[in-house]
C-alpha cells in the first residue's frame, strides 16, 4: 500500500474515532502513531522482524513533537491572554463593561442583547478565549435579560453567539495557533482580526434589533438612563480599553517605526496591568487563585490538543497527503472561488463533530497548501495596495475566513462548546434551548463570511498599514 493510501485510511479511522466520541487530542495522537508505525513498517516490506524497528522509530518521532513544536515562543501568548480575561472577570471589570453597554445601547429594541454582544466584543479584546467569554457573560448578562422578561432561549443564544467573537477579535488563541501552523506573522494576523471582529459584532447587533422589532416580546428595550448616568459608566470600563491599547501598541507602533515589543511581551504586560488594576479594585487571594486555576485548565486543554494533533500532522508529512490534496484541488475544472466556498462549507460540516482548535489543527496542514495554490485565481485585488496577490495577503485573508468558520462550530450542534458552557453555568436553561437560541446567528455569520469574501480589504487594511 502506498503512503498516500495509508494516509487516507488512517485519516478515515481518526474521523470515525472523533465521531463516536473520542477526544480530538487522543484520537489524533493515536491515529498519528499508528500511521507512523504503518508507514515505517511498509518501507521494510512488512517484514515481521522490522516491526520492532518501525515501532521504535515511530515512537521516537512522535515523542519529539510535544517539546519541539509546543516550546515555540508564539504559543506563550495563549496562557497570558487567557489570564488577562480571567483576571478582568474576577476584578469585576466585565460587569462595568456590561453596565456601560447597557446604558448606552439598551434603548434599542432588544437593547440588552445588543449590549451583551458589544460587551462580549470588548471583553474578547482582553480575553482571547471564547469559552471563558461565554461563561463570564452567562453569569452577568442572562440574569439581567431574564429579569426584564427576555425569552430565555434568546438570552442564552445571544451569550453563546457573542462569546464566539473572542475567536476573531485579538488577542485570539485560535489566530495564534493558525499563525503557527501556516508559519505567518502572529502580529499581522492579530491585527487583521480587529476590523472583521467589529463587523461581525455589528451584524450580530443588527440581527438582534431586527428580531426584536419583528417579535415584540423577544427583548424589550431598556430606557430611563440620563446622559449623566451614561457617562459615569465610562471610567470603570476604561481599564479594559487601556489594556487593548497596550496590546495594539506592542503589536503595531501607531507612531511609526519598529514595534515597541513582540506580541508575547504585549500579552505579558497586559496581564500585569490587569493584575495591578485588579489589586486596586480589591481582588483577594481566593479570586487570584481561581483565575490562575481557570487559566491553567484552559491552557492545558489547548496545549493537549496541540500535542495530539501535531503527532498526526507529522504522520501526514510522511504520507504526503497535503501535497496530493493540493494537486487534486488545483486540477479541478471550476473557479477557484467556488472551490474556496466549498472548503468553507466543509468546515461548517466538520464543526458539527470537532471543537474549533482541533478542527483547524487537523485540517490546515492539508487545506492550506491547496488554498495557497489557488492564490493566483482568488481575486483579492481590492487589497493590492497592502499585499497584492502575495502569499502573505492570501494567507491572512484565508486565516480570518477559517477562524470565522471555527467560530460557527462553537454554537453548532451537537458539540457546540459555547452552548454547553452556557447551559452548564445556567442549570435552569437546557442545552437544547441554548442551541435553539443561537440558531439565528448562523444567518449573521453567513452574512459576515460573504462580506469578508466580497471585500477582502476589510481584513487586510489594518495589517497593511504595518508594511
Amino acid at each position: 500500500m502506498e503512503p498516500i493510501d495509508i494516509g487516507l485510511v488512517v485519516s478515515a479511522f481518526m474521523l470515525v474515532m472523533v465521531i463516536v466520541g473520542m477526544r480530538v487530542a487522543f484520537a489524533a495522537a493515536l491515529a498519528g502513531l499508528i500511521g507512523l508505525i504503518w508507514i515505517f513498517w511498509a518501507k521494510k516490506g512488512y517484514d515481521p522482524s522490522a516491526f520492532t524497528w518501525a515501532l521504535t522509530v515511530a515512537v521516537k518521532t512522535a515523542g519529539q513533537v510535544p517539546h519541539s513544536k509546543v516550546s515555540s515562543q508564539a504559543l506563550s501568548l495563549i496562557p497570558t491572554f487567557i489570564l488577562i480575561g480571567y483576571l478582568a472577570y474576577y476584578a469585576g471589570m466585565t460587569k462595568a463593561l456590561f453596565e456601560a453597554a447597557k446604558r448606552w445601547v439598551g434603548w434599542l429594541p432588544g437593547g440588552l442583547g445588543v449590549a451583551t454582544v458589544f460587551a462580549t466584543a470588548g471583553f474578547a479584546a482582553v480575553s482571547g478565549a471564547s469559552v471563558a467569554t461565554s461563561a463570564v457573560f452567562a453569569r452577568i448578562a442572562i440574569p439581567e435579560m431574564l429579569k426584564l422578561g427576555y425569552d430565555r432561549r434568546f438570552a442564552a443564544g445571544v451569550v453563546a453567539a457573542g462569546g464566539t467573537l473572542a475567536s476573531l477579535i485579538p488577542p485570539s488563541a485560535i489566530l495564534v495557533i493558525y499563525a503557527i501552523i501556516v508559519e505567518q506573522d502572529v502580529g499581522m494576523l492579530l491585527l487583521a482580526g480587529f476590523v472583521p471582529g467589529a463587523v461581525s459584532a455589528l451584524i450580530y447587533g443588527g440581527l438582534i434589533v431586527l428580531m426584536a422589532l419583528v417579535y415584540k416580546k423577544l427583548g424589550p428595550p431598556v430606557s430611563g438612563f440620563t446622559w449623566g448616568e451614561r457617562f459615569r459608566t465610562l471610567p470603570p470600563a476604561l481599564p479594559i480599553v487601556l489594556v487593548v491599547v497596550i496590546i495594539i501598541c506592542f503589536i503595531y507602533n501607531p507612531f511609526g517605526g519598529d514595534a515597541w515589543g513582540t506580541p508575547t511581551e504585549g500579552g505579558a504586560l497586559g496581564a500585569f496591568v490587569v493584575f495591578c488594576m485588579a489589586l486596586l479594585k480589591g481582588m483577594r487571594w481566593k479570586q487570584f487563585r481561581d483565575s490562575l486555576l481557570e487559566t491553567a485548565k484552559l491552557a492545558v486543554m489547548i496545549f493537549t490538543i496541540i500535542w495530539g494533533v501535531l503527532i498526526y500532522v507529522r504522520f501526514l508529512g510522511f504520507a504526503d497527503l497535503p501535497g496530493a490534496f493540493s494537486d487534486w484541488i488545483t486540477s479541478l475544472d471550476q473557479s477557484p472561488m467556488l472551490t474556496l466556498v466549498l472548503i468553507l462549507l466543509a468546515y461548517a460540516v466538520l464543526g458539527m463533530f470537532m471543537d474549533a482548535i482541533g478542527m483547524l489543527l487537523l485540517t490546515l496542514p492539508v487545506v492550506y497548501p491547496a488554498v495557497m495554490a489557488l492564490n493566483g485565481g482568488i481575486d483579492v485585488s481590492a487589497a493590492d495596495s497592502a499585499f497584492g496577490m502575495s502569499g502573505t495577503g492570501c494567507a491572512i485573508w484565508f486565516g480570518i475566513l477559517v477562524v470565522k468558520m471555527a467560530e460557527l462550530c462553537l454554537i453548532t450542534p451537537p458539540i457546540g462548546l459555547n452552548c454547553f458552557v452556557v447551559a452548564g453555568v445556567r442549570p435552569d436553561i437546557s442545552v437544547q434551548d441554548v442551541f435553539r437560541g443561537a440558531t439565528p446567528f448562523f444567518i449573521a455569520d453567513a452574512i459576515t463570511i460573504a462580506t469578508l469574501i466580497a471585500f477582502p480589504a476589510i481584513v487586510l487594511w489594518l495589517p497593511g498599514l504595518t508594511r
Side-chain angles (χ1 to χ4, degrees), residues 302-373:
I302 292 173
F303 275 71
T304 301
I305 295 173
I306 294 173
W307 290 335
V309 172
L310 286 182
I311 293 173
Y312 170 73
V313 170
R314 180 67 61 88
F315 155 68
L316 288 182
F318 281 100
D320 196 29
L321 201 57
F325 183 75
S326 177
D327 292 341
W328 176 69
I329 286 291
T330 53
S331 68
L332 294 176
D333 186 19
Q334 62 187 27
S335 71
M337 186 56 68
L338 176 59
T339 302
L340 175 67
V341 171
L342 292 176
I343 289 173
L344 295 178
L345 289 175
Y347 274 109
V349 175
L350 283 176
M352 296 179 182
F353 308 102
M354 299 184 187
D355 63 274
I357 295 175
M359 181 175 67
L360 294 188
L361 284 167
L362 286 172
T363 59
L364 282 175
V366 176
V367 172
Y368 177 76
V371 173
M372 290 302 100

Side-chain angles (χ1 to χ4, degrees), residues 121 124-125 164-172 174-176 178 185-201 248 251 387 395-397 399-401 403-404 407 448 452 456-464:
T164 66
L165 295 173
S167 296
L168 197 59
I169 297 176
S172 164
I174 295 183
L175 276 175
V176 173
Y178 174 86
D185 185 85
V186 174
M188 283 194 177
L189 272 157
L190 290 176
L191 283 175
F194 270 107
V195 178
V199 170
S200 185
I248 292 177
I251 296 174
F387 293 99
I396 291 175
W397 178 57
I400 298 300
L401 293 177
V403 169
K404 185 60 187 173
E407 284 185 10
T448 302
L452 298 181
I458 294 174
V459 175
L460 299 178
W461 171 71
L462 191 56

Side-chain angles (χ1 to χ4, degrees), residues 2 21 138 140 149 211 313 354 394 406 408 450 461:
E2 295 297 321
I140 296 173
M211 290 174 64
V313 170
M354 299 184 187
C394 191
L408 184 63
W461 171 71

Side-chain angles (χ1 to χ4, degrees), residues 136-188:
V136 165
F137 282 90
R139 295 184 177 97
I140 296 173
I142 291 180
E144 292 276 347
M145 286 189 274
L146 295 182
K147 193 183 301 181
L148 287 174
Y150 275 60
D151 179 85
R152 65 176 56 247
R153 289 186 297 184
F154 175 68
V158 167
V159 171
T164 66
L165 295 173
S167 296
L168 197 59
I169 297 176
S172 164
I174 295 183
L175 276 175
V176 173
I177 292 171
Y178 174 86
I180 292 169
I181 295 173
V182 304
E183 298 181 346
Q184 290 294 329
D185 185 85
V186 174
M188 283 194 177

Side-chain angles (χ1 to χ4, degrees), residues 196-270:
V199 170
S200 185
L202 289 172
I203 292 175
Y204 276 1
L207 176 67
I208 291 170
V209 171
L210 182 61
M211 290 174 64
L213 285 173
V214 175
Y215 304 101
K216 302 293 184 182
K217 296 182 180 180
L218 201 63
V222 182
S223 57
F225 295 114
T226 65
W227 284 105
E229 290 173 328
R230 288 171 179 166
F231 280 108
R232 280 195 291 272
T233 61
L234 296 181
L238 284 179
I240 287 183
V241 177
L242 176 61
V243 174
V244 175
V245 170
I246 289 172
I247 293 174
I248 292 177
C249 288
F250 265 75
I251 296 174
Y252 163 60
N253 185 353
F255 303 104
D258 295 334
W260 294 348
T262 65
T264 302
E265 292 166 342
L269 181 58

